[in-house]
Amino acid sequence: MAPTHGSFAHHVSRRGLLAAGAATVSAALVASPAAASPKTLPTLIPLPDGFRPEGIATGSGPYAYLGSLGDGSIYRADLRTGAGEIISTGPGTPSVGLKLDGRGRLFVAARTEGARVVDTRTGAVLASYALTTATPTFVNDVFLTPRAAIFTDSFQPALYVLPLGRGGALPGTGDAVRITLSGDWSQVPGEVVNANGITATPDGKALLVVQSGVGGLHKVDPRTGVTRLVDLGDAAPLTNGDGLLLLGRTLYVVQNLQNAIDVFTLSGDGSRGVFQRRITDPDFDVPTTAAVYRNRLYLPNARFTTTPTPQTTYAVVSVER
């Protein structure tokens, strides 16, 4: 593994790679309410019994990809019909956060196993990365730019960067860069969920990471790892904050055990935010992450308060954004 604050971390910031990644999020996926025809899309999409979803990713087409916390399988759901199928049988270890790139590759946070990259066309695992030798480790979520995949670790005060080469070439297994979190970051020791969801600031110059256990939202310098707490005014702490989704200057924070999405308007540099509203739905049952297609948000019900069995039912809930 490359050293902390390695040259690539500086390269990410200097070349403006975060801005490029943030700019691509909404253009292909979000349409005006009139164009979306939301009434034609199902609002509840069933998943296989016992699947145990956590992460969700969407691309330019009407499909969502979900990973299993049980065996790591990848499921593709058709957002127009609600039908779907397993496209990649898991290795027997979890799939957590997911992001899809424009080449049909799914970048998967894989908890203690680090990360892997799955070809959504063939189901093949293209590469696997350990990311760290530290223990305990819980690689939880991932954010993509055209030049990098950046992962959070809920049990370590660190981000891991996989640099992508020309044409999106995947790096070697030992090319991951560790960025240690510092500044306002105060790691809660042990197996407590710290860094969780990750995205970019609206101006694309920094990262945003939610620290679930203490409810803080941090702005992170991708070159140094120095963090500053985002000023959210009188908003309640983001305790149980999970997946983050940024569309323009609107930040959606999934509050898993609260069965809600908190919506903020951020300043351009991401240093401040104003709470706008809370989205809830009677079908929410511990949603964890969110993805967008047209004018709708899609969230998998992880059902963490229900003991999982092979017969436990799971679904994706769709709400207007």
Side-chain angles (χ1 to χ4, degrees):
M1 178 178 299
T4 302
H5 306 332
S7 61
F8 182 74
H10 175 73
H11 187 63
V12 167
S13 179
R14 180 170 59 86
R15 293 292 299 274
L17 302 179
L18 296 181
T24 62
V25 171
S26 60
L29 303 181
V30 181
S32 67
S37 301
K39 293 182 180 179
T40 67
L41 300 174
T43 58
L44 198 65
I45 297 174
L47 299 175
D49 290 353
F51 187 74
R52 297 178 59 194
E54 204 280 354
I56 185 170
T58 50
S60 58
Y63 300 98
Y65 297 86
L66 298 109
S68 168
L69 286 176
D71 67 358
S73 291
I74 303 298
Y75 183 87
R76 181 174 61 203
D78 189 322
L79 302 179
R80 299 163 300 183
T81 66
E85 61 180 340
I86 299 287
I87 63 164
S88 180
T89 301
T93 54
S95 292
V96 197
L98 313 172
K99 289 296 184 296
L100 183 69
D101 74 2
R103 297 176 173 86
R105 302 180 303 188
L106 197 65
F107 289 73
V108 181
R111 199 160 181 157
T112 58
E113 302 303 309
R116 57 181 171 267
V117 183
V118 175
D119 188 329
T120 58
R121 291 160 293 197
T122 66
V125 176
L126 300 175
S128 296
Y129 301 91
L131 296 184
T132 183
T133 57
T135 57
T137 181
F138 179 175
V139 181
N140 197 331
D141 206 355
V142 55
F143 176 71
L144 286 183
T145 82
R147 296 278 186 92
I150 308 169
F151 296 82
T152 59
D153 189 333
S154 293
F155 294 165
Q156 295 291 325
L159 303 178
Y160 309 117
V161 180
L162 289 179
L164 303 178
R166 182 170 297 181
L170 296 175
T173 56
D175 291 343
V177 176
R178 174 188 169 109
I179 302 175
T180 300
L181 299 175
S182 61
D184 287 345
W185 192 270
S186 180
Q187 183 80 4
V188 180
E191 296 189 1
V192 176
V193 177
N194 285 273
N196 197 336
I198 180 171
T199 189
T201 54
D203 64 8
K205 296 180 179 180
L207 295 163
L208 295 171
V209 175
V210 64
Q211 189 176 13
S212 299
V214 298
L217 181 67
H218 288 257
K219 177 183 175 181
V220 185
D221 185 326
R223 181 177 59 86
T224 65
V226 172
T227 83
R228 291 291 178 260
L229 278 169
V230 177
D231 180 1
L232 298 179
D234 296 329
L238 298 177
T239 310
N240 303 317
D242 203 326
L244 302 181
L245 176 65
L246 181 74
L247 299 176
R249 287 175 54 181
T250 301
L251 179 69
Y252 298 87
V253 183
V254 182
Q255 301 276 67
N256 54 33
L257 291 176
Q258 295 160 357
N259 288 315
I261 310 165
D262 284 349
V263 185
F264 296 85
T265 298
L266 299 180
S267 61
D269 67 356
S271 63
R272 301 178 309 281
V274 177
F275 176 76
Q276 298 296 337
R277 61 195 174 103
R278 169 167 280 197
I279 300 172
T280 60
D281 190 278
D283 286 324
F284 282 167
D285 192 349
V286 195
T288 46
T289 50
V292 63
Y293 178 66
R294 294 185 172 177
N295 74 324
R296 300 194 69 83
L297 304 176
Y298 291 83
L299 301 92
N301 277 335
R303 306 195 69 190
F304 288 153
T305 57
T306 300
T307 301
T309 73
Q311 291 75 43
T312 303
T313 58
Y314 294 95
V316 175
V317 181
S318 170
V319 296
E320 290 190 37
R321 62 183 178 91

